[in-house]
Amino acid sequence: MHHLHVNAFTVLSLAIAILGAWTALDLFNRTRSQIGATRLRWLGVSALALGVSIWSMHFIAILGFEGDGAVVYDPGLTLVSFLLATAGTAAAFLTAGTAQASPLRLTPAALLMGGSIVAMHYVGMAAMRMNAVLSYQPVLVALSVVVAVAAAYAALIAARQERGLACLLYTSDAADERSS
């Protein structure tokens, strides 16, 4: 089967992934200063932002795939893939969203997020209806799980880091005090 990936779709999907993840993780970082229902709303919005960006990045990249025939999508499986991305991210953010979340506590959150991203991807691939048979190499599937969980863990760690000018000034002042 002859196939081609259109680079414009690849670049667009990468831009959506980066901007969506940055936005979602910045929103997630803001949940620490919230309590109660307001905190849950911020967590929900950040999970929705990440779920939508991951899901849309995946399907935009697939739009760039040009095979020998037409591709259509099963609406039910496409919806399931969307729900996996958003629900998995929401569960991960709820797990990691406490003020006292340690790096050890972020591990189950990363497993939830990475696992939901992998599930979204493979369910999204299963939603494709075309004149081709998809096959997977178990080693590469396992590697995709490892990469997704590691990336989710790194993103959750990064999202919990203090950022901004006030933080930089405070860190700089603290370092100056320690050296004197």
Side-chain angles (χ1 to χ4, degrees), residues 4-160:
L4 170 72
H5 239 95
V6 178
N7 286 335
F9 285 106
T10 303
V11 170
L12 179 61
S13 70
L14 183 60
I16 287 170
I18 291 169
L19 294 173
W22 179 80
T23 300
L25 294 172
D26 187 59
L27 290 169
F28 172 70
N29 190 35
R30 294 169 191 252
T31 63
R32 290 190 291 174
S33 63
Q34 306 298 322
I35 58 171
T38 303
R39 180 178 162 275
L40 289 176
R41 280 192 293 274
W42 276 101
L43 282 170
V45 168
S46 60
L48 185 63
L50 187 58
V52 167
S53 68
I54 291 168
W55 181 83
S56 61
M57 175 272 305
H58 172 83
F59 278 91
I60 288 171
I62 289 176
L63 287 175
F65 178 78
E66 292 183 0
D68 286 337
V71 176
V72 294
Y73 298 91
D74 177 277
L77 286 177
T78 302
L79 178 62
V80 168
S81 72
F82 173 77
L83 294 174
L84 283 166
T86 54
T89 303
F93 281 171
L94 281 171
T95 303
T98 61
Q100 69 275 13
S102 67
L104 184 60
R105 182 168 176 146
L106 294 181
T107 301
L111 289 168
L112 278 167
M113 186 181 292
S116 69
I117 291 168
V118 169
M120 177 274 312
H121 170 75
Y122 288 107
V123 169
M125 296 298 290
M128 296 173 72
R129 302 293 180 248
M130 60 187 159
N131 278 339
V133 176
L134 296 177
S135 64
Y136 300 100
Q137 296 179 4
V139 172
L140 293 179
V141 171
L143 183 61
S144 73
V145 172
V146 170
V147 168
V149 171
Y153 187 80
L156 290 168
I157 292 285
R160 297 194 51 81

